[in-house]
Amino acid sequence: MRAGTMMRADEYAVDVEHQKQSAAEAAAELVEDGMAVGLGTGTTVAYLLPALARRQRSIRCVATSPRTEAAALALGIGVEPFGTLDRLDICIDGADQITAEGWLVKGGGGAHTREKVVAGAADRFVVIADSTKPVAGLHPPVPLELLAFGSPATIRHLGAVVVRAGQPLSPDGGVIADYTGPVGDPAKLAATFDATAGVVGHGLFPPAMVDVVIVGHPSTVERFEVR
Ligand code: 5RP
């Protein structure tokens, strides 16, 4: 697009999809024969799966959600239960917010608990996103997964938390909710969530988990190393 030209809303939406696809396709290039691969969840990962299928590499995969598992299987990508592998070479997943330091908010799709387990098992965690995801500072909402047992008490303890309307329980039976209070220092907030009984998982991913961020832009793909 020429500088100074206004984009219509439908053109903008197409462009964002193109950015997701470019980032996903760049990440697919990192997958080689023999790798064990973690497959994330979301609309950006939806572009990764066909790109991986086209690469026709001999890989073993685990999925972070039933949605991703079904989509991968439909494309001929084999998916194993995450009980047959105890480490992964690479995990590729999207994010809702990304800071320059590499902090992420994830869980827009409610899959953040499994996503964190899979990312944490991988030697390299690669984040793929369109150019709307980088932020100057993290902001609410921060997705949570709560143990269903006593969830009203957990919510009361944390304060600013709303159960996500219309979202089914997680595949592990957890209640998907969102923390809507201020984020402030994300390390402190993450520590609070980690120390709260009844919080199964949260969508704050620290830079120490993230290796590479790949962001699609209108005509380029930006890549930055985090750790
Ligand atoms: C799902 C996630 C997604 O990776 C995150 O919400 C980004 O999704 P999308 O690629 O659709 O923007 O964390 O739980």
Side-chain angles (χ1 to χ4, degrees):
M1 195 181 63
R2 285 196 312 278
T5 320
M6 290 291 285
M7 219 188 239
R8 290 199 326 258
D10 57 341
E11 291 173 331
Y12 177 75
V14 168
D15 197 55
V16 167
E17 291 306 307
H18 168 73
Q19 294 173 24
K20 291 180 189 191
Q21 184 169 4
S22 316
E25 289 179 352
E29 298 290 315
L30 302 173
V31 175
E32 297 298 349
D33 265 335
M35 283 187 169
V37 182
L39 305 173
T41 293
T43 57
T44 314
V45 167
Y47 289 108
L48 172 73
L49 302 177
L52 268 186
R54 283 194 299 275
R55 264 177 86 69
Q56 297 193 316
R57 294 296 190 267
S58 169
I59 54 177
R60 299 175 70 184
C61 296
V62 295
T64 51
S65 64
R67 254 174 302 160
T68 293
E69 179 172 350
L73 291 173
L75 288 162
I77 300 171
V79 175
E80 303 179 28
F82 201 18
T84 53
L85 291 163
D86 63 6
R87 61 160 289 281
L88 303 168
D89 294 286
I90 191 168
C91 170
I92 306 173
D93 202 352
D96 302 304
Q97 301 176 45
I98 307 166
T99 71
E101 297 77 33
W103 272 99
L104 311 178
V105 168
K106 287 186 47 54
H112 42 290
T113 301
R114 287 192 176 198
E115 289 172 338
K116 197 174 275 179
V117 174
V118 172
D123 291 347
R124 290 185 87 199
F125 179 33
V126 177
V127 177
I128 51 177
D130 61 76
S131 65
T132 66
K133 303 301 182 60
V135 292
L138 299 183
H139 57 77
V142 177
L144 299 173
E145 180 170 341
L146 308 176
L147 194 69
F149 178 81
S151 60
T154 309
I155 290 168
R156 184 164 180 270
H157 178 82
L158 287 172
V161 172
V162 288
V163 172
R164 201 179 290 177
Q167 177 97 32
L169 294 180
S170 80
D172 306 299
V175 175
I176 303 302
D178 290 292
Y179 169 80
T180 57
V183 173
D185 177 350
K188 277 193 184 153
L189 185 60
T192 299
F193 293 146
D194 288 333
T196 301
V199 175
V200 176
H202 60 83
L204 289 170
F205 284 50
M209 287 190 73
V210 181
D211 289 281
V212 182
V213 177
I214 300 177
V215 180
H217 291 277
S219 52
T220 54
V221 175
E222 175 194 8
R223 176 189 301 242
F224 65 93
E225 308 279 331
V226 177
R227 65 166 185 181

